[in-house]
Amino acid sequence: MEDLLSNLKIVVNEGLFQIEPSTSKIGKKIVLNSVDMIAELGFEKFTFKKLGEVIGSPEASIYRYFKSKNQLLSYLVSWYWAWMEYQLVFETKNIVSPNIRLEKSIALVLSNTTDNFSVEGIDLKKLHQIIISESIKSYLTKDVDIANKEGAFQNYKQFVERISKIIIEINPDYKYPQMLLTTIIEGAHLQVFFGEHLPRLTNRQKSASYITKFYTNLVQQSIKAK
Amino acid sequence: MEDLLSNLKIVVNEGLFQIEPSTSKIGKKIVLNSVDMIAELGFEKFTFKKLGEVIGSPEASIYRYFKSKNQLLSYLVSWYWAWMEYQLVFETKNIVSPNIRLEKSIALVLSNTTDNFSVEGIDLKKLHQIIISESIKSYLTKDVDIANKEGAFQNYKQFVERISKIIIEINPDYKYPQMLLTTIIEGAHLQVFFGEHLPRLTNRQKSASYITKFYTNLVQQSIKAK
DNA sequence: TGCATTATAATAGTATTACTATTATATTTG
DNA sequence: CAAATATAATAGTAATACTATTATAATGCA
């Protein structure tokens, strides 16, 4: 697995961990192995005990880094959006036309990595699987307001905000940029899941890019419309 | 609370329970009180033990009716879609124009009950809250394929299929009716949640109908487009 | 009506989970 | 090199999800 960006570090909000995991061997192991394990077991069946067995440390040690399973999930999700924002900035740099910038942004949002790449040792393909099936669980809880105050969703908000600004550049009268973006982001995740497990709830096509095409069209129509 | 439809019974798939809850007093209590409790506590903090305390029966008795917490959630979600389908059929009956039928269907999907009504004693407002915050958790699990084989999502599929057919009547060339519908259904749920808890991820307006307007537009644009 | 059959519910458990208080072991600093 | 501090392991607890077994109630039929 090729490691991208070996000289840069993705930074997430302080409220997303107890001890910054990259500061110790055990911390790094927690993050890397939790990605593999959550992708494989799903969030419900993933436990700190099982993770402890894999990394060779007791559960209690993991709690020093993350106060709960949910905080760890939020950390991974935020890490994903921080990495996405980095790519967004990189991909749209020096491009004058907001239309082309938006096009590239949407392509990034809807892209489905099939190659095996890693950043800081994190398997990007597996992380993307987690985003598709589990990320929504990090905010659909009764503790969402507390987590939100701790900054758990800042990276996601920031990412959405950045693309929203491009939309506003293109059409200053458009009233729903955030709404449109979260609709296509969460929608695209869901359609991938439906395509695999509940095909009657989507319209899977032979070509793998049907989801991208569908949502790209949706954005273009929506923004153009008065 | 006014009870609608006192002479009809919503029927859901057999795979969604161990014993049909309406056949006994305890079964009915389970369903009614679980709606109240899941709405209040959220799915994670809701337990069969707590439910048992409320209905005055031990947990073990509840397992006779539902083999797991997830099966109970799936039951409630399916009940919701069965009820929605009934309304759909009722609302669109004898209307010749597919455009008007679609309009009414979409309005139903996006409607946000504010009044206190019940059907079979189930509080429709609370059930709607559950649909918004919890329903997605019934299929975003690693056991989705097993549950699907047991018919857990049939009512949802059937509901989506029914509106899909109206879309195809209007535009036989449209390739993504299911995709469009699940996008707006799940999208609308999420936007309600965001509006309440993560407003920076949506574009909340003074008027309560902004979500409906947004998604109604989305559907109309999408179907018209070649 | 009475007794056997069957359906239903309660008791009493288990293994696992999420999490914590406390103790032990490294690592760093003066 | 000893004291201070950071880090990790041990040994727990209360609660959770679920099951096997026993008790009770309802029903069928002679």
Side-chain angles (χ1 to χ4, degrees):
Chain A
M1 197 158 52
E2 191 186 334
D3 198 87
L4 309 164
L5 260 203
S6 54
N7 52 339
L8 260 179
K9 206 188 151 306
I10 302 296
V11 177
V12 300
N13 201 287
E14 292 243 328
L16 287 162
F17 48 76
Q18 308 299 104
I19 298 171
E20 158 76 78
S22 64
T23 59
S24 80
K25 218 167 181 178
I26 222 180
K28 282 175 203 154
K29 276 200 214 167
I30 289 170
V31 171
L32 300 194
N33 287 285
S34 67
V35 170
D36 294 350
M37 291 179 75
I38 296 173
E40 195 193 333
L41 301 171
F43 186 63
E44 284 77 25
K45 285 172 187 163
F46 165 79
T47 69
F48 278 6
K49 181 141 191 225
K50 288 176 191 167
L51 175 59
E53 278 159 22
V54 169
I55 66 171
S57 296
E59 312 176 63
S61 299
I62 302 166
Y63 281 94
R64 294 192 62 248
Y65 292 86
F66 297 99
K67 70 179 173 191
S68 65
K69 235 171 85 166
N70 220 292
Q71 192 184 43
L72 173 53
L73 179 62
S74 294
Y75 176 90
L76 297 178
V77 173
S78 291
W79 192 98
Y80 174 83
W81 288 116
W83 160 237
M84 288 289 276
E85 189 180 3
Y86 167 81
Q87 289 179 90
L88 181 68
V89 173
F90 194 83
E91 293 270 324
T92 58
K93 206 172 180 178
N94 299 323
I95 296 173
V96 179
S97 156
N99 283 296
I100 296 172
R101 260 184 287 135
L102 181 62
E103 206 176 283
K104 282 184 179 281
S105 304
I106 300 301
L108 174 68
V109 163
L110 301 175
S111 69
N112 207 331
T113 318
T114 47
D115 303 311
N116 264 18
F117 289 121
S118 71
V119 170
E120 292 175 31
I122 291 180
D123 186 322
L124 293 176
K125 201 174 171 181
K126 283 181 182 169
L127 182 58
H128 192 245
Q129 276 175 248
I130 292 172
I131 298 305
I132 287 170
S133 307
E134 319 293 346
S135 66
I136 210 166
K137 296 171 192 171
S138 72
Y139 46 80
L140 281 186
T141 55
K142 286 282 169 183
D143 302 323
V144 59
D145 298 327
I146 299 162
N148 189 31
K149 264 179 201 150
E150 291 170 357
F153 312 109
Q154 216 179 295
N155 290 95
Y156 187 21
K157 289 180 202 166
Q158 228 167 277
F159 181 83
V160 169
E161 205 113 48
R162 214 177 256 277
I163 308 186
S164 293
K165 280 181 186 157
I166 305 176
I167 293 176
I168 295 302
E169 266 186 75
I170 295 170
N171 180 356
D173 293 328
Y174 188 66
K175 288 281 172 293
Y176 312 104
Q178 277 89 343
M179 203 165 166
L180 180 63
L181 286 167
T182 54
T183 296
I184 71 156
I185 292 169
E186 303 293 344
H189 294 160
L190 211 57
Q191 299 304 323
V192 173
F193 186 88
F194 286 164
E196 257 174 72
H197 301 287
L198 302 166
R200 279 176 60 196
L201 290 176
T202 187
N203 302 89
R204 202 175 168 166
Q205 313 278 310
K206 278 140 228 154
S207 142
S209 58
Y210 69 103
I211 296 174
T212 307
K213 276 181 194 158
F214 175 84
Y215 286 109
T216 306
N217 271 333
L218 215 64
V219 172
Q220 278 164 359
Q221 287 163 22
S222 300
I223 296 171
K224 268 181 223 157
K226 193 198 61 66
Chain B
M1 197 158 49
E2 189 186 334
D3 199 86
L4 310 165
L5 261 204
S6 54
N7 51 338
L8 260 178
K9 204 188 153 301
I10 302 295
V11 176
V12 300
N13 200 289
E14 291 241 328
L16 286 161
F17 48 76
Q18 308 300 102
I19 297 170
E20 160 73 81
S22 63
T23 59
S24 79
K25 217 168 181 176
I26 222 180
K28 280 177 204 154
K29 275 200 213 164
I30 289 169
V31 171
L32 299 193
N33 287 285
S34 68
V35 170
D36 294 351
M37 291 179 77
I38 295 173
E40 194 193 334
L41 300 170
F43 186 61
E44 285 76 25
K45 285 171 185 162
F46 164 80
T47 69
F48 278 9
K49 181 140 190 226
K50 288 176 190 166
L51 175 59
E53 278 157 23
V54 169
I55 66 171
S57 296
E59 314 176 62
S61 299
I62 301 165
Y63 282 93
R64 294 191 62 250
Y65 292 86
F66 297 99
K67 69 178 174 191
S68 67
K69 234 173 88 166
N70 219 290
Q71 192 185 44
L72 173 53
L73 179 62
S74 294
Y75 176 90
L76 296 178
V77 172
S78 291
W79 191 97
Y80 174 81
W81 289 116
W83 161 237
M84 288 289 276
E85 190 181 2
Y86 166 81
Q87 288 179 92
L88 181 67
V89 172
F90 194 83
E91 292 273 324
T92 58
K93 208 173 179 177
N94 299 324
I95 296 174
V96 178
S97 157
N99 282 297
I100 295 171
R101 260 184 286 138
L102 181 62
E103 205 176 283
K104 283 186 178 278
S105 304
I106 300 300
L108 174 68
V109 163
L110 301 174
S111 69
N112 208 331
T113 320
T114 47
D115 303 312
N116 265 17
F117 290 120
S118 71
V119 169
E120 292 174 33
I122 291 181
D123 186 321
L124 294 176
K125 201 175 172 180
K126 284 182 181 169
L127 183 58
H128 192 244
Q129 275 174 251
I130 292 173
I131 297 304
I132 287 169
S133 306
E134 318 293 345
S135 66
I136 208 165
K137 296 171 191 170
S138 71
Y139 46 82
L140 281 185
T141 56
K142 286 282 169 183
D143 302 323
V144 60
D145 298 326
I146 299 163
N148 189 31
K149 264 180 202 151
E150 291 170 356
F153 312 111
Q154 216 180 296
N155 290 96
Y156 188 19
K157 291 178 200 167
Q158 228 168 277
F159 181 83
V160 169
E161 207 112 50
R162 215 178 255 276
I163 308 185
S164 293
K165 280 181 185 158
I166 305 176
I167 294 177
I168 295 301
E169 265 188 76
I170 295 170
N171 179 355
D173 294 327
Y174 188 66
K175 289 281 173 296
Y176 311 105
Q178 277 88 345
M179 204 163 164
L180 179 65
L181 286 167
T182 54
T183 295
I184 72 156
I185 292 169
E186 303 293 342
H189 295 159
L190 211 57
Q191 299 304 323
V192 173
F193 187 89
F194 285 163
E196 257 174 73
H197 301 286
L198 302 166
R200 279 176 60 197
L201 291 176
T202 188
N203 300 91
R204 200 173 170 167
Q205 315 277 312
K206 277 140 229 151
S207 142
S209 60
Y210 69 104
I211 296 174
T212 306
K213 278 182 193 156
F214 175 84
Y215 286 108
T216 306
N217 272 332
L218 216 62
V219 171
Q220 278 164 359
Q221 285 163 23
S222 299
I223 295 172
K224 266 183 224 155
K226 193 198 65 62

